[in-house]
Amino acid sequence: MQPVLEVRDLSISFTQYQGGTRRRVLPVIRRLSLTVTAGEVVAVVGSSGSGKSLLAHGILGILPYNSQMEGELIYQGQPLTPQRAARLRGREIALVPQGVTYLDPLMQVGPQLRRGRRDAGARAESRAVLERYGLGRETEERYPFELSGGMARRVLIASAALQAPKLLIADEPTPGLDARAAGRILGHFRELAQEGAGVLLITHDLELALTIAHRVAVFYAGETVEEAFAADFPAGRLRHPYTQALWNALPGNGFTPISGTQPGPGEEGPGCPFAPRCPRRAADCAGDIPLIEAAGGRVRCLHPEGGKTP
Amino acid sequence: MKHRLLFTGKKFFRMALLLLGVSLAAFLLMSASPLDPLQTNVGQAALGTMSQEQIARLEEYWGVNEPPLRRYLGWLGDVIRGDLGVSLLYRQPVTQVIGQRLQNSLWLMAAAWVLSGLLGLTLGVLAGARRGRAVDKLIRGWCLLLSSTPAFWLALVLLMIFAVWLKVLPSGLAVPIGVDAASVTLGDRLYHAVLPALTLSMTGMPGIALHTREKMIDVLESDYVLFARARGESNRSILLRHGLRNVALPAITLQFAVISEIFGGSVLVEQVFSYPGLGQAAVTAGLGGDLPLLLGITVVSAAIVFSGNLIADLLYGVVDPKIRRGAARA
Ligand SMILES: Nc1ncnc2c1ncn2[C@@H]1O[C@H](COP(=O)(O)OP(=O)(O)OP(=O)(O)O)[C@@H](O)[C@H]1O
Ligand SMILES: [Mg+2]
């Protein structure tokens, strides 16, 4: 089956000027690859500041002006050029952004959902979609500051669902919510996937991601290090040492912290960025590491888990 | 509702204090002035020919020998009773002089006010939306140039261009010379107000434009504009639906804050254009030692400026949903 979205070797970098004249290129995302098919929830897991929001904005073609993007984006089999992204966003491709600050503070919810349309049809649609997420009619008249955290999340999801998207990108949709509320919100995404959308769920929370995702792409220092099935995690079929370490760090699995820190943008040396923290590192980890197929998923590691310890 | 009233009450109390302070400051400055009202108004030569009694009567008229504190308190007492006194130069009640002058000035200042607001907002939004482009550089350069140009100098330059060289606009006065007051038309008044109003608006416009530009840039870099873009809104829709809405609040503040600049500017601009307005009367009163008139003008101007700020605050409460809804619930 043709994937809805294919990201191949995507890189996003910023041009910064230091001291007025010294130009510096700061790579935030370096070699990111993933695929999303229709009806599937794919989680992208990466730590805070690793470039997750930039990935979302890059796909939508709304990166800031001082950034450059390279690599391939394929949407429904065709290259997703900036022009095509501009046509598709708000129609086939929808974003659920990271927080309430993404709503206009001076505009009521209703007009925000309707995006300037005033006809009766638009009214009926916005009312129906709010109702679908358990928000009453009065929500239309509310300003963003009058919404609770959970209501604001649901408004943001409603705004995406209103478009009946083929690809939905949800950027960190649950922080600040308790486990039950977060579970309900994630349930909405699973529901949208069942209706046929491909859902890209961006989060730093592996545990939460595993509750609804079919597949998980793990992101380290701007690179995809592994693409695994959700079922691989409990089954012990993980491929990359970092993924394994993330899994082991979860409360239910030993709570073992990973020592050291992730290199920030521009701090990575050559070779595998995880090598300094890796129990399985070897001399050849200092070279170039390709992303290879392994056990139905993909891994960027020369000495993956399950293989011989070097 | 109750806290709106309290809010307004507090503002009025502050206004009373402010007016007291302003009038006292004006009085002290006037007392410290080295100009002797007799010398300036009667003249050295005329004084020389007068008898001691005549001079003494004049001194009493101009209040030269009265102790300053008593003079101020006397004025204050009258004002509290609603009497602004009689202008020493015009020999008319101060309220009447101010009323007349204000009528002339109001045309000018209202036109300048509206013009500087419209122009400032439009240019600011335009520059902010086209940040870094040629339009932005042009607008910013022009605003910086204007805001570092003294109003009277600008007045002179415009006068040279439009009245002297091109001869398309009158060089001064509020009405045509030698025309019966009754037959002066509204057109005449507007025609005479064009140049001074234009000059005056140029003193307030750059501030509004530059501040609006900053705000516009903030808005366009905001998360909600990013999200609007992610939802497929066009640049035009983003500018009209989100941009204007979010620069509206600061624009209200700027628009009313500029009243004080326009009042200040009018003093110089009316002088250059010989426009018989409040600003010109202030200069005359200040130089001529006409204490009641000067204090009257100071207090009235301060009251108008302060009312402007008050209106801005009240409008804010109507426009800003956070205050409006908050107030409705309290
Ligand atoms: N306009 C910009 N100019 C320069 N650097 C930027 C810019 N925007 C983001 N970055 C950098 O890119 C990196 C990734 O940012 P991003 O917002 O994508 O992180 P994130 O993974 O979404 O984090 P979080 O989980 O906290 O939301 C950060 O280190 C940030 O400093
Ligand atoms: Mg983010």
Side-chain angles (χ1 to χ4, degrees), chain B residues 90-113:
Chain B
Y90 296 88
R91 294 179 186 267
Q92 284 172 347
V94 165
T95 38
Q96 202 175 321
V97 178
I98 292 181
Q100 231 167 36
R101 293 305 184 115
L102 202 55
Q103 230 178 9
N104 285 336
S105 283
L106 228 44
W107 282 105
L108 196 64
M109 293 202 255
W113 188 57

Side-chain angles (χ1 to χ4, degrees), chain A residues 188-271:
Chain A
H188 295 317
F189 290 118
R190 182 143 213 163
E191 203 177 275
L192 287 167
Q194 275 158 8
E195 288 165 22
V199 176
L200 189 64
L201 173 72
I202 297 178
T203 178
H204 70 278
D205 189 337
L206 176 64
E207 198 176 15
L208 207 75
L210 287 175
T211 60
I212 66 151
H214 300 98
R215 289 189 303 120
V216 177
V218 181
F219 203 159
Y220 187 85
E223 298 183 338
T224 303
V225 294
E226 173 162 2
E227 273 189 77
F229 294 98
D232 295 345
F233 283 79
R237 280 197 303 263
L238 293 174
R239 301 156 190 83
H240 198 281
Y242 175 62
T243 319
Q244 187 64 52
L246 270 186
W247 173 250
N248 294 341
L250 293 183
N253 312 331
F255 228 154
T256 326
I258 323 171
S259 63
T261 53
Q262 195 171 132
E267 291 170 14
E268 319 87 352

Side-chain angles (χ1 to χ4, degrees), chain B residues 122-265:
Chain B
T122 314
L123 292 181
V125 166
L126 202 68
R130 300 238 144 249
R131 165 149 86 132
R133 312 277 184 82
V135 196
D136 177 33
K137 286 183 182 141
L138 205 71
I139 292 175
R140 209 151 36 117
W142 188 37
C143 288
L144 290 175
L145 188 72
L146 272 182
S147 56
S148 54
T149 307
F152 73 88
W153 193 80
L154 187 69
L156 286 174
V157 170
L158 290 180
L159 201 63
M160 290 284 277
I161 297 175
F162 290 100
V164 180
W165 291 341
L166 299 178
K167 296 194 197 324
V168 288
L169 289 166
S171 67
L173 303 178
V175 292
I177 300 174
V179 174
D180 186 16
S183 53
V184 172
T185 61
L186 181 65
D188 286 334
R189 286 185 179 279
L190 287 179
Y191 181 56
H192 278 76
V194 170
L195 262 191
L198 201 66
T199 315
L200 207 47
S201 68
M202 291 303 138
T203 66
M205 187 279 284
I208 295 187
L210 291 174
H211 279 103
T212 305
R213 174 182 177 274
E214 290 299 309
K215 182 62 192 174
M216 195 66 204
I217 288 174
D218 285 351
V219 169
L220 290 180
E221 283 179 352
S222 69
D223 287 346
Y224 54 88
V225 162
L226 189 73
F227 186 47
R229 197 158 283 141
R231 286 157 36 93
E233 285 191 41
S234 64
N235 284 337
R236 191 185 132 86
S237 153
I238 285 174
L239 203 65
L240 296 182
R241 263 160 57 82
H242 304 288
L244 288 186
R245 183 184 303 265
N246 282 278
V247 299
L249 282 179
I252 290 176
T253 314
L254 289 172
Q255 179 69 48
F256 283 89
V258 86
I259 292 181
S260 67
E261 276 174 55
I262 286 185
F263 258 89

Side-chain angles (χ1 to χ4, degrees), chain A residues 89 101 104 112 115-116 146, chain B residues 223 229 231 242 246 325:
Chain A
R89 62 181 179 240
T101 56
D104 187 332
Q112 268 190 89
R115 284 181 287 177
E146 296 172 307
Chain B
D223 287 346
R229 197 158 283 141
R231 286 157 36 93
H242 304 288
N246 282 278
R325 297 278 180 110

